[in-house]
Amino acid sequence: MAAGKNPLDPHVLFEHVQDQPFFHLPRFFAEEGADGHIYLPQPLATEIDGSDHGHGPSYEPKVEITTGVAVIDKSLKPMDFVLSKFMVIEALVVIICVVLFGWLASQIKSGAAAKGKLANLLETFCVFIRDEVARPAIGAKDADDYLPFLWTLFFFVLGCNLFGMIPWMGSPTGTLAVTAVLALMTFVAVVGIGVAKYGLAGFLKVQVPHMDLPGPVAIFLVPMIFVIELLGLLIKHGVLAVRLLANMMAGHIVLAVLIGFIGYSAAAVAWWGVAPASVLGATALSLLELFVAFLQAYIFVFLSALFIGAVVHPH
């Protein structure tokens, strides 16, 4: 943290959860005079500041003037084509999943049971998602068809959540761009399953539950219910994205606030009381965040399974 920065300032707090074109490390890990950033190469950067920071061209943050004070906006915008730390983390999660489950598949390829603590742990997660999430939500007959999608969602979300527990890394699921794409994937899967099963017209038709209504009443109510059901289909997938985003971001912001109390009180006499309390509070909250990382991955997949089950077995 740079000298003179207020650790409880919103700009400083949100640096801990925002995507960045660099990895931020404590200053004592950096060379003398460096800012503690490990900059990522930017082959597609839209703005180049002319310096390479020892790592090639870098993204140039925008500078805004607010009440006479220069504020550096380091947040990435939707059309900033830059390589960011969340992209790197997501790629690492994918690689780890491919390696782990490729190894597990090779273990059970012959039909024998996989042996070892790691294999048993991975199988426990897979069996739990199958028996406690997919089959109850979709039905034992159809659930296995959609298990690969649900397993992929679960382990990707879980991996991104757990990376947020590693100091100086970050949780990609704490940004709307990632959670929105995950929710969009579920939406595309739901619509795709419905269209494949019933056809486009049939999928739209099953959105309206069957009701025995008189003709004049049906003419008035059915279009309204159809519009409400379509809006509900969009809204519930939007809520799926926001739910994961809010839960992952909120926990990290609270952790940043607790640790920020140490820097805020550094010059105060109460520092010796505030610092231990902040560390203990952050440790306790980190344990809670570890639980939340698993819980939110479970909730995301459980809701996705419910949405799939609703289209497989409509009203």
Side-chain angles (χ1 to χ4, degrees):
M1 185 177 296
K5 278 190 176 181
N6 180 356
L8 300 182
D9 185 273
H11 291 92
V12 176
L13 289 175
F14 276 92
E15 284 182 3
H16 296 278
V17 295
Q18 287 178 332
D19 199 5
Q20 306 284 5
F22 53 78
F23 284 90
H24 180 77
L25 296 179
R27 289 182 176 276
F28 57 80
F29 284 137
E31 298 178 359
E32 185 176 356
D35 57 4
H37 294 168
I38 298 179
Y39 290 88
L40 297 170
Q42 301 298 340
L44 299 177
T46 54
E47 297 183 29
I48 303 297
D49 63 6
S51 61
D52 59 11
H53 301 286
H55 296 83
S58 64
Y59 174 77
E60 181 181 33
K62 300 175 177 62
V63 179
E64 299 177 355
I65 305 298
T66 304
T67 63
V69 178
V71 177
I72 299 178
D73 180 12
K74 297 180 181 179
S75 60
L76 298 181
K77 304 301 184 293
M79 297 306 292
D80 290 338
F81 295 102
V82 298
L83 179 64
S84 69
K85 69 175 182 179
F86 284 174
M87 294 180 186
V88 174
I89 292 172
E90 290 165 30
L92 287 175
V93 171
V94 171
I95 292 171
I96 291 171
C97 288
V98 170
V99 170
L100 286 179
F101 289 99
W103 168 79
L104 180 63
S106 67
Q107 294 290 308
I108 62 178
K109 185 176 181 180
S110 62
K115 297 180 180 180
K117 294 181 179 179
L118 179 59
N120 290 335
L121 176 65
L122 296 176
E123 283 190 324
T124 299
F125 280 119
C126 291
V127 171
F128 176 81
I129 296 300
R130 183 192 68 187
D131 294 346
E132 303 298 331
V133 176
R135 289 181 177 176
I138 303 174
K141 180 180 178 181
D142 302 300
D144 290 358
D145 294 337
Y146 311 109
L147 266 177
F149 174 71
L150 297 176
W151 278 337
T152 303
L153 271 183
F154 176 78
F155 287 107
F156 181 78
V157 172
L158 178 62
C160 290
N161 291 352
L162 291 178
F163 260 96
M165 302 302 301
I166 302 175
W168 314 302
M169 295 296 283
S171 175
T173 44
T175 180
L176 183 60
V178 174
T179 60
V181 169
L182 290 171
L184 180 62
M185 291 172 60
T186 301
F187 176 76
V188 171
V190 168
V191 174
I193 292 168
V195 172
K197 189 175 178 67
Y198 308 107
L200 179 59
F203 172 70
L204 295 176
K205 182 179 179 181
V206 298
Q207 298 305 306
V208 180
H210 177 71
M211 297 175 292
D212 293 324
L213 297 174
V217 177
I219 293 174
F220 177 72
L221 283 182
V222 169
M224 291 180 57
I225 295 174
F226 176 74
V227 172
I228 292 173
E229 290 290 340
L230 283 185
L231 288 175
L233 184 66
L234 296 173
I235 291 171
K236 66 184 182 183
H237 286 88
V239 171
L240 187 65
V242 174
R243 176 193 293 272
L244 179 60
L245 164 71
N247 281 281
M248 297 312 300
M249 177 182 287
H252 293 300
I253 289 293
V254 173
L255 281 172
V257 170
L258 289 176
I259 296 299
F261 282 131
I262 298 176
Y264 191 74
S265 63
V269 179
W271 185 87
W272 291 105
V274 173
S278 297
V279 172
L280 291 175
T283 301
L285 193 60
S286 294
L287 296 176
L288 178 62
E289 278 293 291
L290 183 61
F291 168 72
V292 169
F294 285 88
L295 178 65
Q296 291 305 316
Y298 163 75
I299 292 176
F300 191 93
V301 173
F302 180 69
L303 292 176
S304 297
L306 285 179
F307 298 160
I308 293 174
V311 73
V312 172
H313 305 286
H315 303 287

